[in-house]
Amino acid sequence: PSWLLLALLGLLSGYAARRFLSQRNSLTAELRRAVDADEFVPFYQPVVLGESGALAGAEVLVRWMHPIEGIIPPNQFIPLAESTGLIVKMTYQLMDRVQEELLGQLPNLPEPFHVGFNISAAHCTSMELLDRCRAFLEPFPPGSVILFLELTEREAIPATPMTDALFKQLDGMGVQVALDDFGTGNSSLEYLQRFTVNALKIDQSFVAKAGTETLSSHILDIIADLASRLELFVVAEGVENAMQREYLQKLGVEYMQGYLFGRPVPFAEFAATHLPPAAGGAGDGAPV
Ligand code: C2E
Ligand code: MG
Ligand code: MG
Ligand code: MG
């Protein structure tokens, strides 16, 4: 009978929660160790122009290269990294590594190259974020790289004079702000008023049903309309097939991201797949 199944499920999930809670301390220690051991590695997923499919840049998506467990996806450790504050150091390590990797391929990057980092509430409680962004951009020739900070609503970013000043100064430096998973949170529209937002990233749950389900299609239409009225551009994430792409193209979505264009991969693979061959290599001199 179904009540028995429900009771069993309840017992099991209670068990899983207790097990996780009892592991929380050791998981936190493990996370701390991994930050010091530099086990968090940036993967790059291409972001392309909606119109032409040409490469516009990449979103940096962290992976935990665990010596025993192998590759651990972010959903399994980001929430704990955020609640323990370890996310701050982790992200700044990622930024250093990404800077180094991009500098190594600077002549081959399309200009401007968009690079997006996922930012947590913990980053927004100190002006360090501003210094880190400045240091990130510093070695790149002006205009060659555009830095995007992707904010989600999983955790609320407090509205304080400090955060106001922080985002104002980031804006002044040309750092762009994108609202991630737009449409899934409950304060998206309030964020639009608080920060100088430059882009909306449409959540993949809407993109998945683009053109096939009326409700999702209406939501996409409304987000595109809102963006154009507010003079923001739109990035659609989770584009997996040509039908979704065509629907979004008709809406005039400027940027797209998804398995149709490429999965998140380590930098070497990203460069080999999405960037032109290094200058001076075998492909040198070929017509562009
Ligand atoms: P997100 O920022 O919304 O990133 C998009 C997620 O969708 C990524 O999952 C990406 O791999 C996945 N994705 C992209 N294209 C497709 C597609 O066509 N189909 C499907 N089914 N999925 C697609 P991932 O890498 O597992 O990251 C999950 C989330 O973890 C991210 O969602 C982001 O919120 C968080 N995250 C990842 N890296 C970081 C980080 O360095 N810092 C913070 N704070 N959060 C991060
Ligand atoms: Mg993101
Ligand atoms: Mg997203
Ligand atoms: Mg998402």
Side-chain angles (χ1 to χ4, degrees):
S2 57
W3 62 265
L4 188 65
L5 196 69
L6 282 175
L8 257 169
L9 275 175
L11 268 176
L12 279 174
S13 62
Y15 172 72
R18 269 195 306 279
R19 216 172 92 102
F20 177 77
L21 282 180
S22 72
Q23 285 183 339
R24 191 180 190 273
N25 288 336
S26 57
L27 200 58
T28 305
E30 181 60 5
L31 215 54
R32 188 164 286 125
R33 181 201 60 74
V35 170
D36 292 332
D38 239 337
E39 287 173 12
F40 296 97
V41 171
F43 274 40
Y44 297 72
Q45 184 177 33
V47 175
V48 304
L49 292 169
E51 192 67 22
S52 62
L55 185 71
E59 176 176 3
V60 175
L61 294 157
V62 70
R63 299 290 182 265
W64 184 356
M65 308 304 244
H66 194 282
I68 295 159
E69 306 288 329
I71 302 184
I72 305 179
N75 292 338
Q76 288 182 29
F77 60 87
I78 290 289
L80 186 61
E82 286 178 337
S83 65
T84 54
L86 285 167
I87 190 74
V88 175
K89 192 171 176 198
M90 185 189 295
T91 305
Y92 296 146
Q93 282 180 356
L94 283 181
M95 287 176 81
D96 287 346
R97 179 126 173 212
V98 168
Q99 181 191 56
E100 194 180 303
E101 289 178 331
L102 291 182
L103 279 172
Q105 283 283 336
L106 192 55
N108 299 313
L109 299 178
E111 205 173 294
F113 188 82
H114 294 195
V115 58
F117 290 92
N118 293 285
I119 293 299
S120 307
H123 295 102
C124 303
T125 58
S126 116
M127 292 306 250
E128 185 183 4
L129 180 61
L130 188 70
D131 300 330
R132 294 288 182 162
C133 290
R134 190 179 290 117
F136 178 86
L137 288 169
E138 197 266 326
F140 295 102
S144 62
V145 165
I146 300 181
L147 174 57
F148 277 82
L149 304 181
E150 301 191 1
L151 308 180
T152 66
E153 300 160 326
R154 252 177 308 123
E155 329 156 280
I157 295 171
T160 65
M162 199 241 96
T163 52
D164 286 352
L166 174 65
F167 283 94
K168 201 176 223 152
Q169 291 193 51
L170 285 169
D171 184 48
M173 257 168 57
V175 173
Q176 308 271 299
V177 168
L179 294 189
D180 208 349
D181 306 321
F182 189 77
T184 62
N186 33 34
S187 60
S188 330
L189 298 173
E190 197 238 320
Y191 273 26
L192 285 176
Q193 292 197 311
R194 270 176 47 202
F195 310 118
T196 317
V197 173
N198 306 93
L200 304 181
K201 293 197 82 169
I202 303 185
D203 192 62
Q204 44 186 271
S205 58
F206 303 121
V207 173
K209 297 171 195 157
T212 61
E213 204 217 63
T214 324
L215 183 60
S216 296
S217 303
H218 284 333
I219 292 173
L220 286 175
D221 298 355
I222 288 167
I223 295 177
D225 186 45
L226 176 73
S228 83
R229 283 171 199 253
L230 298 179
E231 295 176 351
L232 310 174
F233 58 83
V234 175
V235 187
E237 52 181 32
V239 182
E240 292 185 348
N241 61 50
M243 199 184 64
Q244 292 162 351
R245 183 186 179 190
E246 272 162 35
Y247 189 90
L248 295 161
Q249 271 176 332
K250 282 196 200 117
L251 276 184
V253 166
E254 288 90 347
Y255 298 96
M256 296 187 199
Q257 192 181 338
Y259 295 166
L260 182 64
F261 311 103
R263 287 174 184 260
V265 287
F267 189 70
E269 197 178 330
F270 176 82
T273 314
H274 301 288
L275 299 180
D284 201 24
V288 184

